[in-house]
Amino acid sequence: MTTLPARCALGILFALFVAGAVRAQSVSSHCDRSNFSVCLNGVSTSVTNGANLRINGETNADVARKRLKRDAGDGTQAAVGRPQSGLSSGDLLGGWSAWVNYRGSWYDSDFVFNNESLAYDADTQRGTAGLDRLIYDDRFLIGLSLGYEDTDTDTLYNGGGQESDGFTIAPYGAWLINDILSIDVSGGYTPLEYDQNRISPTDGTTTSSGFDADRWFFATNLNALAMVNNWVLSGRVGFLYTQEEQDGYVETGSAASAAQGTVRTVDDRDIDLTQLVLGGDVAYSFGALEPYALLIYRNDLSRDNGEDAGGLPGAFTSVQPDDDDEIEAGFGFRLFSSFGVTSSLEWSIIEGRDSFDGQNISLTIRGEL
């Protein structure tokens, strides 16, 4: 008869054996050139579309809103036209203003469908510069920004990756309704170039493709800003719509891949996203330094990831989780100078979506002209 300690020992050994077998199976099923038969026969764009559009479509949407908080000129932070500042909105905001921004975004998905992993990792690097000014009694803001973005994605499920880059032109404006409320609007256009590659599940060779795309976005926010002693409180409710039209293409691959039908033909793909945004931040002014914390909630009112264009891995009918909302939380600080230059540094994380998370870092420097 087996004693209790012996049975426990046998149970532990069995559990270790099963864990090792599962690990060995997961390692052996990893897509690479030495194990190409397990690579899923799907193009990168068909899986990464949803996240790429969310991350890259929202970036230029709040430029005007961030323009509305400036240095009072005496080393203290003041909102537009606040009575306690003793300054007019023109004194606070100045005439012409120029700015530059860097934003980095890192995000990944570990979505699993029908026991198959559609995991990928991605990062977007973006640089933007803009020029704006106040008009009509300093109650209306008009501006224009130009930016360049580069996105690099590793698609683990097909052993390949995707690169895209393009320039964005985005006019923006705002109406300063009163000392507390404002409305901003912005829109933009980005022509993009995509390059993709993956491992063929037929013979382990490289299958590649490239295509052009056009992206548009429109965004508006209703903002509120108030100061209570040294506390600076702001909130907003916003709307974002962004759309991307991708050209169709035919992949280039080996003769064996073409003969086996693993070289894909993909139709024109249209993807779009309509999103509700609720958010705010709380800051405390130490004069020239203003640390703050932010919280933003986003809900996808509607979205189309363009699955009908083809290129899906195998017989997949879903390449994106069904969840439709997320929370972004972060902190940063603003630094105000007495000679018309301000800067801000911000870090945030994105949580709340199934099988997806991300983080952002942003640096902005602005100067009066």
Side-chain angles (χ1 to χ4, degrees):
M1 183 175 179
T2 307
T3 63
L4 180 60
R7 287 198 298 268
C8 292
L10 289 174
I12 293 173
L13 290 175
F14 178 74
L16 292 174
F17 172 79
V18 171
V22 170
R23 183 178 182 276
Q25 183 179 10
S26 64
V27 170
S28 65
S29 62
H30 176 70
C31 170
D32 56 35
R33 296 196 184 279
S34 63
N35 200 26
F36 58 83
S37 63
V38 303
C39 298
L40 297 182
N41 186 36
V43 300
S44 299
T45 310
S46 63
V47 174
T48 62
N49 268 331
N52 286 350
L53 194 65
R54 289 199 310 271
I55 295 294
N56 296 315
E58 70 186 15
T59 303
N60 296 292
D62 60 353
V63 170
R65 180 181 62 84
K66 291 184 176 180
R67 170 71 159 100
L68 305 182
K69 284 185 263 186
R70 298 309 307 264
D71 186 15
D74 59 359
T76 61
Q77 162 72 3
V80 176
R82 292 299 295 165
Q84 63 263 40
S85 70
L87 299 173
S88 70
S89 59
D91 293 326
L92 288 169
L93 291 168
W96 287 100
S97 177
W99 56 272
V100 294
N101 170 265
Y102 163 77
R103 181 182 175 94
S105 301
W106 296 266
Y107 48 102
D108 62 79
S109 172
D110 57 1
F111 181 53
V112 175
F113 183 79
N114 283 349
N115 297 318
E116 294 280 7
S117 172
L118 293 174
Y120 64 85
D121 302 312
D123 67 82
T124 296
Q125 310 299 318
R126 184 181 294 101
T128 310
L131 185 68
D132 51 46
R133 71 162 297 154
L134 286 166
I135 59 174
Y136 296 117
D137 295 327
D138 295 336
R139 287 298 173 182
F140 292 91
L141 174 73
I142 57 172
L144 181 69
S145 68
L146 298 173
Y148 173 78
E149 69 177 57
D150 181 270
T151 299
D152 190 2
T153 306
D154 292 326
T155 45
L156 309 180
Y157 64 93
N158 65 8
Q162 176 193 88
E163 294 182 358
S164 67
D165 67 311
F167 289 90
T168 298
I169 180 170
Y172 58 92
W175 173 30
L176 311 182
I177 302 172
N178 54 37
D179 293 342
I180 295 176
L181 298 176
S182 67
I183 295 176
D184 67 72
V185 294
S186 57
Y189 166 67
T190 308
L192 294 157
E193 294 184 356
Y194 282 85
D195 289 299
Q196 300 180 139
N197 66 82
R198 61 187 181 90
I199 296 175
S200 169
T202 298
D203 55 7
T205 58
T206 297
T207 300
S208 58
S209 58
F211 60 92
D212 297 328
D214 297 291
R215 184 195 304 144
W216 295 267
F217 82 90
F218 170 79
T220 184
N221 296 283
L222 173 63
N223 311 289
L225 178 65
M227 296 187 68
V228 181
N229 298 321
N230 283 42
W231 292 97
V232 184
L233 312 174
S234 67
R236 62 165 167 149
V237 55
F239 170 86
L240 169 68
Y241 175 77
T242 182
Q243 178 185 35
E244 185 171 310
E245 296 181 355
Q246 301 173 356
D247 293 342
Y249 59 91
V250 178
E251 291 184 303
T252 301
S254 67
S257 297
Q260 293 294 319
T262 54
V263 173
R264 310 298 292 272
T265 298
V266 179
D267 296 333
D268 293 347
R269 190 190 306 276
D270 294 333
I271 58 177
D272 61 67
L273 171 68
T274 303
Q275 202 169 62
L276 173 69
V277 182
L278 300 172
D281 62 69
V282 177
Y284 189 86
S285 175
F286 292 95
L289 179 65
E290 187 178 285
Y292 64 92
L294 65 91
L295 187 66
I296 302 171
Y297 170 76
R298 300 184 182 91
N299 183 271
D300 302 341
L301 301 178
S302 67
R303 67 186 185 192
D304 182 355
N305 295 322
E307 286 91 345
D308 56 353
L312 303 182
F316 279 46
T317 57
S318 177
V319 290
Q320 298 285 337
D322 293 331
D323 58 337
D324 59 3
D325 58 359
E326 68 185 25
I327 292 176
E328 181 176 359
F331 60 88
F333 63 86
R334 307 177 186 103
L335 186 63
F336 304 93
S337 73
S338 59
F339 49 88
V341 175
T342 66
S343 58
S344 65
L345 180 64
E346 181 178 294
W347 175 84
S348 64
I349 59 172
I350 299 174
E351 296 289 347
R353 293 187 184 267
D354 295 337
S355 310
F356 176 88
D357 57 63
Q359 59 180 311
N360 305 296
I361 188 169
S362 177
L363 172 65
T364 301
I365 300 175
R366 180 187 289 273
E368 304 293 343
L369 300 180

